[in-house]
């Protein structure tokens, strides 16, 4: 059974390994190409996108893909939209692997905001020491608030930044809560800006902020279109196995 896996997440990497080890599946991984050196995958890998929903549809038809698994990041709303659109226009079955969001716990001091622009507003006018741990793509929004002192962490260096007070750390998770607490203390962080990524790999900073009483400005998740969905790689394998079985019964 031919599978196209839209990846870029820890769960997609795990699912790629499970698919590679299962002879029922002939799977290909697709990455946006956001990181310079992505972890090696056992699956053949495409990098750089399809050229919109129409390009993805053309790929699915041309390669006779039986199942499309959208295991992209919860904030990769455009890719998810394209996956739903393309799968609706052909016979390819679609499964979304959607990581549950983090829930606020007692002691958390979260302020939920709609997007990066609102996060900038929420920081206020007084200069603060801010930890921006939210990926490279939205950092430039914070140029509007140059009075703050920013600590930025991303997988690859974000390049030249327009803010005058900025330190950059390049690192890839998982991040341990104790090390995250040490980092917040070392940089005397007064507020953390984060996406609600869910999962355990980047939860350390949220736990550390709770333990230290540091407020968190949490960017809301984008609204995603409905799709048949599971929350983890094992459940995705079970769904794919059931689809494989159904195709075999129909003699496809
Ligand atoms: P996006 O805005 O949903 O997608 C933009 C375009 O990137 C898509 O239209 C598609 O290009 C391409 N693309 C995205 N994921 C792809 C995949 N798995 N395979 C092939 N092409 C893919 O997603 P984004 O720009 O990557 O990121 C949006 C948000 O998600 C950001 O907040 C980012 O920090 C977060 N995020 C993304 C990743 C990741 O690996 N992508 C990881 C962590 C966090 P075409 O239209 O040309 O097909």
């Amino acid at each position: 059974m031919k599978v196209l896996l839209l990846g870029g997440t820890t769960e997609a990497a795990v699912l790629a390994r499970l698919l590679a080890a299962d002879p029922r599946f002939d799977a290909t991984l697709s990455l946006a190409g956001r990181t310079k050196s992505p972890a090696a995958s056992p699956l053949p890998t495409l990098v750089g996108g399809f050229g919109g929903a129409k390009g993805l549809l053309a790929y699915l038809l041309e390669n006779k893909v039986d199942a499309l698994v959208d295991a992209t990041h919860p904030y990769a709303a455009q890719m998810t939209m394209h996956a739903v659109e393309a799968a609706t226009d052909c016979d390819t079955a679609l499964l979304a692997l959607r990581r549950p969001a983090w829930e606020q716990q007692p002691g958390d001091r979260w302020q939920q905001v709609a997007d990066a622009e609102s996060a900038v507003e929420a920081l206020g006018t007084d200069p603060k020491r801010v930890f921006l741990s939210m990926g490279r793509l939205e950092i430039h929004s914070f140029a509007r608030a140059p009075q703050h002192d920013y600590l930025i962490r991303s997988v690859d260096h974000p390049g030249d930044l327009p803010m005058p007070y900025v330190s950059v750390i390049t690192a890839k998770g998982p991040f341990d809560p104790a090390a995250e607490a040490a980092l917040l203390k070392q940089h005397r962080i007064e507020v953390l800006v984060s996406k609600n990524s869910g999962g355990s790999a980047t939860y350390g900073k949220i736990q550390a902020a709770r333990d230290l009483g540091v407020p968190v400005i949490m960017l809301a998740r984008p609204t995603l279109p409905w799709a048949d969905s599971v929350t983890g790689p094992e459940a995705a394998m079970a769904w794919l196995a059931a689809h494989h079985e159904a195709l075999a019964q129909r003699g496809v």
Side-chain angles (χ1 to χ4, degrees):
M1 183 173 117
K2 291 195 93 170
V3 178
L4 176 63
L5 171 60
L6 304 174
T9 55
T10 313
E11 290 81 359
V14 174
L15 182 56
R17 285 197 289 278
L18 295 173
L19 284 166
D22 192 324
R24 290 174 296 182
F25 304 110
D26 170 8
T28 299
L29 172 68
S30 168
L31 300 174
R34 301 280 173 252
T35 54
K36 284 187 197 134
S37 319
S41 172
L43 293 180
T45 304
L46 308 167
V47 181
F50 300 91
K54 286 205 166 63
L56 177 58
L57 174 63
Y59 179 93
L60 297 175
L61 292 172
E62 205 171 301
N63 293 280
K64 300 187 170 47
V65 175
D66 298 297
L68 173 63
V69 181
D70 172 18
T72 55
H73 192 268
Y75 287 73
Q78 185 171 307
M79 190 67 243
T80 291
M81 196 73 82
H82 292 172
V84 169
E85 252 179 82
T88 305
D89 290 345
C90 65
D91 287 337
T92 304
L94 172 66
L95 176 69
L97 202 172
R98 291 189 180 161
R99 196 194 282 166
W102 296 319
E103 301 285 345
Q104 226 176 139
Q105 304 295 320
D108 279 333
R109 298 174 59 199
W110 292 7
Q111 178 180 356
Q112 315 240 25
V113 296
D115 50 26
E117 294 298 322
S118 318
V120 175
E121 295 298 325
L123 285 175
T125 48
D126 292 346
K128 296 189 181 65
R129 300 180 66 85
V130 182
F131 183 20
L132 286 187
S133 170
M134 45 180 283
R136 265 179 311 142
L137 300 181
E138 290 90 353
I139 285 173
H140 285 265
S141 301
F142 292 83
R144 276 206 298 123
Q147 71 276 27
H148 304 300
D149 198 326
Y150 294 102
L151 172 66
I152 291 174
R153 181 171 65 197
S154 58
V155 176
D156 295 312
H157 198 287
D160 288 341
L161 290 165
M163 302 91 116
Y165 311 114
V166 58
S167 319
V168 175
I169 301 173
T170 54
K172 197 172 181 177
F175 300 105
D176 164 68
E180 295 290 70
L183 185 73
L184 296 185
K185 280 196 223 165
Q186 182 197 342
H187 290 270
R188 294 180 285 116
I189 294 301
E190 295 169 290
V191 56
L192 164 67
V193 182
S194 175
K195 287 179 181 151
N196 192 333
S197 297
S200 58
T202 58
Y203 191 67
K205 65 191 173 195
I206 304 298
Q207 190 176 322
R210 181 192 311 140
D211 294 344
L212 299 173
V214 171
V216 178
I217 297 174
M218 189 67 87
L219 271 65
R221 283 187 170 198
T223 306
L224 302 177
W226 184 89
D228 206 359
S229 64
V230 292
T231 57
E234 287 76 18
M237 278 305 277
W239 185 95
L240 287 165
H243 191 64
H244 176 267
E245 184 64 33
L247 289 181
Q249 276 179 12
R250 281 171 38 209
V252 180

